[in-house]
Amino acid sequence: MGQDIDPFRAISVSKRAHDLKAEGRRILHMEFGQPSTPAPKAAIAKAHDVLDTDPMGYWESRPLKARIAQYYKDHYGVDLRPGRITLTCGASPALVLALSTTFNPGDRVALARPGYVAYRNTLRALNLEPVEIACGEETRYQLSAAALDAIDPAPAGVIIASPANPTGTIIPADDLAALAEVAKRKSIRVISDEIYHGLSYGPEIHSMLEFDPDAYIVNSFSKYFSMPAWRLGWLVSPEDGAERTSAYVGNLFLTPPSLSQHAGLAAMDSTAELDRHVDVYRRNRELMLEAMPRLGLEKIAPPDGAFYIYADISKYTDDSLAFCLKLLEETGIATAPGVDFDPALGHKFMRFSFALSTAQIEEAISLLEPWFARQPQSQS
């Protein structure tokens, strides 16, 4: 029998939101990190052309892999052999590939708490042991080199994310270098989730490849490239793992959709259009940050990037799932309960996604302010 894993509770919130929508309710979806913006125009045009002219089939695009390799050169100064890149059906299979090709059942893998719910659950599903390290305000909710160094015995691997989900915090270059040094010294394999690269509101984003050329890198077209429904991502493997990754992906997943690969290649040259999407998220972030004190939510993680605000709601509740469901029923706003991201302390947190249109964010704020004003606060 396979391993039991926890449900993704934001999905239950979303299901209820869709039930309410079917009943005719107006719903604002702030529960998932899903861009409200469309795929780039060039990607859509390319897809139309391919549908009309190419019967397609199982295929891994060499031009796309070469273009991704060039992306690492242009953005991070990293020379990357295209053969180290494996194209996948989104970031989730890339994570599965990195974990399954690298570790043995029972191996321990460290990760920050709070962190993306699927890290913990994917590790468990693969019979690996998650070693969750509580990360708070003092480390900006990120795993520090000192905390990684202090794990005894040292884990076989570590998952890092910058910008992170649910907090949006970015790991500075010096801290990434320190993490890489600890990992190298203790033979800890690094898996870096870089799915939110391109979504920054000030701090510079660095790839772990700049500091650890043997790291596994997970990325996707779902966030910055605004193509979540196209299910296209990639995994960068170290030189000594690329052949093994290729064997695994061929047996477990074959290839991502050919149509998506054609479109993804076109999307990579659409940066001017995509950067305008980031400008929308930047404005949405400003509006949400201005609104947070008016909601009584003064304690938030610094949203340096991605499109989330992770807020402490302990003055209102110690049951974030019930709180999010109540908010949904009474306002039509769907949000994510913190317990997804932190099973120990997340019952006192919630996550807002601001990956909506600015008009929708303004509408949401107009509903959130009076609703939070009506909520009783704890006396402690």
Side-chain angles (χ1 to χ4, degrees), residues 46-59 230 255-263:
K46 182 63 177 178
H48 280 294
D49 177 64
V50 170
L51 283 171
D52 290 338
T53 61
D54 189 340
M56 294 180 285
Y58 299 128
W59 178 60
W230 298 74
T255 66
S258 296
L259 183 67
S260 299
Q261 295 180 64
H262 285 292

Side-chain angles (χ1 to χ4, degrees), residues 48-372:
H48 280 294
D49 177 64
V50 170
L51 283 171
D52 290 338
T53 61
D54 189 340
M56 294 180 285
Y58 299 128
W59 178 60
E60 190 178 46
S61 170
R62 289 186 178 183
L64 179 56
K65 292 168 70 171
R67 182 65 183 82
I68 292 172
Q70 185 62 45
Y71 166 88
Y72 282 94
K73 179 67 173 179
D74 295 342
H75 287 264
Y76 311 112
V78 172
D79 287 313
L80 185 62
R81 185 175 66 86
R84 291 176 57 187
I85 298 166
T86 301
L87 302 178
T88 60
C89 294
S92 297
L95 177 64
V96 170
L97 285 169
L99 295 174
S100 60
T101 59
T102 306
F103 305 115
N104 296 313
D107 278 351
R108 299 161 66 248
V109 179
L111 62 159
R113 177 171 56 77
Y116 179 45
V117 58
Y119 300 153
R120 179 191 336 119
N121 287 333
T122 303
L123 286 167
R124 287 177 176 161
L126 294 174
N127 293 296
L128 301 170
E129 181 183 346
V131 180
E132 295 189 286
I133 307 302
C135 301
E137 295 178 62
E138 68 284 354
T139 61
R140 304 178 78 256
Y141 298 91
Q142 285 282 8
L143 182 64
S144 68
L148 181 62
D149 202 10
I151 302 173
D152 187 25
V158 61
I159 299 174
I160 65 170
S162 174
N165 178 8
T167 61
T169 54
I170 290 173
I171 304 176
D174 289 349
D175 292 346
L176 282 174
L179 283 163
E181 187 279 325
V182 172
K184 182 177 181 180
R185 174 162 44 87
K186 294 200 164 185
S187 299
I188 301 169
R189 180 69 79 178
V190 176
I191 298 173
S192 180
D193 184 350
E194 301 182 356
I195 192 173
Y196 294 102
H197 279 215
L199 299 173
S200 171
Y201 310 104
E204 187 175 0
I205 297 177
H206 291 270
S207 173
M208 194 61 178
L209 286 177
E210 298 173 56
F211 311 98
D212 180 358
D214 293 325
Y216 282 87
I217 307 297
V218 173
N219 210 326
S220 168
F221 284 82
S222 293
K223 309 302 181 181
Y224 172 74
F225 293 101
S226 197
M227 298 174 66
W230 298 74
R231 307 315 303 138
L232 181 62
W234 71 85
L235 175 69
V236 178
S237 300
E239 285 289 357
D240 63 0
E243 186 174 342
R244 184 176 174 87
T245 300
S246 179
Y248 268 60
V249 75
N251 284 280
L252 294 177
F253 304 116
L254 291 176
T255 66
S258 296
L259 183 67
S260 299
Q261 295 180 64
H262 285 292
L265 182 58
M268 295 200 74
D269 292 321
S270 301
T271 52
E273 181 181 352
L274 294 167
D275 285 346
R276 289 194 293 273
H277 294 174
V278 180
D279 289 338
V280 172
Y281 304 145
R282 181 177 290 108
R283 176 55 180 157
N284 293 351
R285 173 181 175 272
E286 291 171 356
L287 290 170
M288 289 294 294
L289 290 178
E290 290 170 1
M292 287 294 108
R294 302 197 297 271
L295 306 183
L297 304 180
E298 292 84 7
K299 294 182 179 180
I300 63 171
D304 303 323
F307 27 54
Y308 305 120
I309 293 179
Y310 193 61
D312 183 333
I313 54 173
S314 58
K315 68 164 61 177
Y316 295 112
T317 187
D318 61 0
D319 186 342
S320 58
L321 177 57
F323 191 77
C324 289
L325 287 170
K326 181 183 180 186
L327 172 65
L328 172 61
E329 295 288 341
E330 296 180 2
T331 68
I333 299 173
T335 53
V339 71
D340 268 339
F341 312 102
D342 185 342
L345 301 176
H347 53 288
K348 296 182 179 181
F349 286 81
M350 67 187 300
R351 190 196 71 180
F352 300 88
S353 169
F354 52 82
L356 289 76
S357 70
T358 299
Q360 288 174 319
I361 290 294
E362 291 171 337
E363 180 182 357
I365 291 171
S366 73
L367 296 169
L368 289 168
E369 287 187 16
W371 188 85
F372 270 87

